[in-house]
Amino acid sequence: MTRVVRGVGWLLIVSGVVVLLYVVYLLWFTGLETERAQRELAETWALTVPDVPVAGEQPDERAEEVEEEEEVALGDAFAALWFERDGERIVDDDVLFVVSGATLQLLRSGPGHYPLSDRPGGAGNLAIAGHRTTYGSPFWSVDVLTEGDTIHVVDRQGREWVYAYREQRIVAPTDVWVVGEDPLGSGAPTITLTTCHPRGSAAQRLIVWGELLDDPIESTATGTTPQEIAGKVEG
């Protein structure tokens, strides 16, 4: 009987160690993988994205740039993303580079753009998915967003678009309407962020919405360059 008890005890210990190692892998090593991918995206971003235009640029110049937008290959840097409250960064201390595509494989590199959704600053809905746990957990605390907070997106033309936080909701994974063209029914240009809920589970989805505030001429008044944006990740 003593041997059986001892055997069960060792089995429980070994099982606990295995579980612990798996948790370490999920939270630590997957994070290192994403951190490495984000640095690579930052390097290519600084090389391929033009400087953000300064305030006062003529609208007709900007209209010409919109018409020349390129198609971004799956896995390449699609946009740069961050969140602010009263001018201070929240949700994540780093700029998050968004990849083109939203498959599980691509989301290992960071947040991913739903390919059928709109571009940054578009008239429709810009939809972005991100992990809440593992692989850097870019949307770990996206639920802290509240009225007055802003979501900043820089596209590959170097234009910064600012969205005002509107609301968040918990839905079923099958509720794909949340990434549709006009999920809020407001007719306004929208951004949708999707992530798993609760943390550590894929049972539901946490959805965060924002609406476009300004055109990029006003929102780029800070003069942030792609090199400076990349440096916020590399530094």
Side-chain angles (χ1 to χ4, degrees), residues 1 27 139 192 214:
M1 185 65 179
L27 299 181
F139 288 170
T192 300
D214 303 307

Side-chain angles (χ1 to χ4, degrees), residues 84-98:
E84 290 186 6
R85 175 179 296 162
D86 298 327
E88 299 293 330
R89 187 130 352 121
I90 57 174
V91 177
D92 198 297
D93 292 335
D94 289 328
V95 170
L96 301 169
F97 288 92
V98 180

Side-chain angles (χ1 to χ4, degrees), residues 186-208:
S186 63
T190 305
I191 186 170
T192 300
L193 308 177
T194 72
T195 192
C196 290
H197 180 84
R199 295 187 181 105
S201 170
Q204 297 173 301
R205 297 291 183 269
L206 172 65
I207 311 299
V208 173

